Amino acid sequence: MEVGVDGDGTDEHLIREAEKIAVALGRMFPGLCEVVLHDLRDPDHAIRAIENNLSGRQVGDAATELGLARIADPQYPSVIQNYPNRFPDGRPAKSTSIGIKNPAGEYIAALCLNLDVSVLSPVTLALSNLVATDTEHREKPLETLRDRTARELREAVEARAAERAATPRSLSREDKKALVRQLQRDGYFDSRDAAQTIADLLGVSRATVYNYAK
């Protein structure tokens, strides 16, 4: 679909108003929720504003698949809420995308919120441990498996961080070292790309992970 010409400046006015909302929302949830405003009139350089940047994207980057879908189809849903997503480093996210139309019924912008749920997972796990009643086997180590998936590895790292009331990246150097060695004992290093996945989760280099595992 070819977006119409904004002859009276209405489209630009709407996008500027949406930009205020994007900035306010992002600054209300620092370190937790990324807010991105896409200008769908220019899909190759769609990102108009990005607050609380968690994905590493920049102003001027291209539109996402959702943005392109809205440009192509004015009947595409205006709001897609609470869908699972993932940041480039593997952290899970919960996203909501809100399409913004001009008076002609054309999508001209999209306001997107990406909540970093990895920050909240340790809290949830800690609360689950607090109210759990079946603790008979809780302290036993996990069995060694030869085929660990990346999802299992992330869950294991987040669970061990939660036991220290922290996120994986906020752990101390000694706690990270202890966690890496425990993962090695539990067989997680047998899976492909495990070291890089662990490095991304802990916010360290791959070489540091191997150093911790020695």
Side-chain angles (χ1 to χ4, degrees):
M1 183 187 85
E2 187 174 325
V3 178
V5 177
D6 182 18
D8 61 0
T10 301
D11 292 0
E12 182 63 23
H13 173 75
L14 288 171
I15 292 176
R16 286 182 180 176
E17 291 300 300
E19 190 168 354
K20 296 177 187 177
I21 298 172
V23 171
L25 285 174
R27 293 179 182 178
M28 187 173 180
F29 302 104
L32 185 62
C33 185
E34 175 185 81
V35 184
V36 186
L37 178 64
H38 297 270
D39 184 344
L40 300 183
R41 300 173 303 174
D42 185 7
D44 291 334
H45 307 90
I47 294 183
R48 174 75 170 256
I50 182 165
E51 263 316 302
N52 199 23
N53 192 332
L54 299 175
S55 63
R57 292 174 293 172
Q58 303 295 328
V59 170
D61 282 356
T64 63
E65 294 86 349
L66 280 180
L68 296 176
R70 285 197 172 108
I71 293 171
D73 181 10
Q75 302 307 314
Y76 198 85
S78 295
V79 178
I80 302 178
Q81 196 160 12
N82 296 333
Y83 59 92
N85 212 335
R86 194 164 295 280
F87 291 110
D89 63 3
R91 284 173 295 159
K94 183 172 77 169
S95 297
T96 290
S97 178
I98 306 164
I100 299 171
K101 289 183 175 181
N102 63 12
E106 302 165 329
Y107 279 116
I108 58 168
L111 184 64
C112 301
L113 294 83
N114 302 308
L115 181 69
D116 183 356
V117 297
S118 72
V119 177
L120 302 177
S121 295
V123 177
T124 303
L125 288 166
L127 290 174
S128 296
N129 288 337
L130 182 64
V131 301
T133 56
D134 182 13
T135 58
E136 182 180 355
H137 304 293
R138 191 172 297 276
E139 300 304 320
K140 290 187 177 182
L142 297 172
E143 62 181 337
T144 299
L145 300 177
R146 305 299 292 183
D147 185 21
R148 300 285 194 179
T149 67
R151 178 178 178 180
E152 290 173 325
L153 181 53
R154 282 192 294 272
E155 289 174 350
V157 170
E158 290 173 358
R160 284 161 174 75
E163 291 171 0
R164 296 170 173 80
T167 64
R169 291 183 171 227
S170 69
L171 289 170
S172 68
R173 182 177 180 275
E174 290 305 314
D175 283 341
K176 287 180 180 179
K177 183 183 294 186
L179 189 153
V180 168
R181 291 178 177 176
Q182 183 63 52
L183 292 172
Q184 186 181 40
R185 287 193 294 270
D186 290 343
Y188 283 95
F189 275 75
D190 293 337
S191 62
R192 187 170 64 89
D193 298 328
Q196 187 59 58
T197 300
I198 295 169
D200 291 340
L201 290 167
L202 297 181
V204 299
S205 68
R206 191 164 179 262
T208 297
V209 169
Y210 282 121
N211 186 50
Y212 286 168
K214 289 180 181 177

